[in-house]
Amino acid sequence: MPRIKLQRFQDNATRPDIIEPGKPEYEQLGGRWRTDFFQEPHPLTLEVGCGKGEYTVGLAQRHPSRNFLGLDIKGERIWRGSTRAAELGLTNVGFVRMRAEALAAQFGAHELAEIWITFPDPRPRDRDIKRRLTSPRFLALYEQLLTPGGLLHLKTDNEGLFEYTLETLAARPGARIERFTRDLYAETGAEFTEAQAIQTNFEGKYRAVGVPIKYVQFRLT
């Protein structure tokens, strides 16, 4: 393992804003994130698959009266998000290292106010449908963790995943699409401002070569 990566893993083990396997708080904060981790009763937003934490940190900057968590399985990515949050002096943001499949072990029922899914792996092969972060399997998990009527957002460059998500939501009883667009940055309405406000490095590269960004906001109940 490269020395710099090893050092970052060691940093993660000492950072209070990172929860990961091996720490006593891991899988012990379900239902108590706002009181025990943030020590503030603000609404809690989760980004699933946060990568380097650009979106999680950006949301925390925009909304200082809310709490934000970024979830990813890659420790080095989370290190970058944690480092950026510290540079900005943010106290309303944290990170969790785990797989999305295990969300129920980390969060209590109806603990989340909002979920963002930003540029996930589209899992284009049919055999990987269940691993798509907007598959019925994951939607059922999100519904369990969200407050009734809680918001979900998907941003993606992948047309196949976007159309699959719209079809899956249309077939799901109780699901309601609030708004969607196949070209987010062509929209001028105020209802798309929040989704346009933060642009990751990954997102910028796709826009630079003319790939439109797709976006959908929805509720499950």
Side-chain angles (χ1 to χ4, degrees), residues 13-26:
T14 65
R15 293 187 178 187
D17 64 331
I18 295 177
I19 300 300
E20 62 179 0
K23 292 190 174 183
E25 304 92 340
Y26 187 73

Side-chain angles (χ1 to χ4, degrees), residues 171-182:
R172 184 179 179 84
R176 183 172 79 243
I177 294 175
E178 298 288 343
R179 55 188 54 88
F180 73 95
T181 175
R182 292 178 174 83

Side-chain angles (χ1 to χ4, degrees), residues 10 28 30 32-33 49 66 71 87 94 100 106 108 129 181 186 194 199 221:
Q10 292 172 346
Q28 299 299 315
R32 299 184 290 108
W33 280 95
R66 297 175 67 93
L71 180 149
E87 291 171 350
Q106 196 65 263
I129 285 178
T181 175
E194 180 74 354
Q199 179 177 295
T221 56

Side-chain angles (χ1 to χ4, degrees), residues 124-201:
R125 296 179 296 185
D126 289 344
R127 68 181 186 182
D128 286 337
I129 285 178
K130 290 185 178 180
R131 300 179 67 190
R132 295 174 187 169
L133 290 182
T134 55
S135 68
R137 167 196 181 192
F138 277 102
L139 294 182
L141 181 55
Y142 303 149
E143 184 173 5
Q144 174 185 340
L145 303 180
L146 281 165
T147 57
L151 276 175
L152 297 98
H153 312 258
L154 169 70
K155 290 179 76 174
T156 181
D157 60 287
N158 188 273
E159 184 174 351
L161 177 63
F162 187 70
E163 296 302 328
Y164 167 81
T165 301
L166 296 183
E167 293 170 5
T168 301
L169 292 173
R172 184 179 179 84
R176 183 172 79 243
I177 294 175
E178 298 288 343
R179 55 188 54 88
F180 73 95
T181 175
R182 292 178 174 83
D183 192 350
L184 175 61
Y185 292 96
E187 301 289 347
T188 58
E191 66 270 24
F192 292 103
T193 300
E194 180 74 354
Q196 295 168 334
I198 303 170
Q199 179 177 295
T200 67
N201 182 61

Side-chain angles (χ1 to χ4, degrees), residues 89-119:
L90 298 174
T91 59
N92 64 328
V93 59
F95 297 89
V96 187
R97 186 167 71 84
M98 64 178 297
R99 295 189 182 279
E101 292 87 344
L103 274 169
Q106 196 65 263
F107 296 94
H110 312 308
E111 187 170 19
L112 302 175
E114 198 167 11
I115 292 175
W116 283 82
I117 308 166
T118 53
F119 302 95

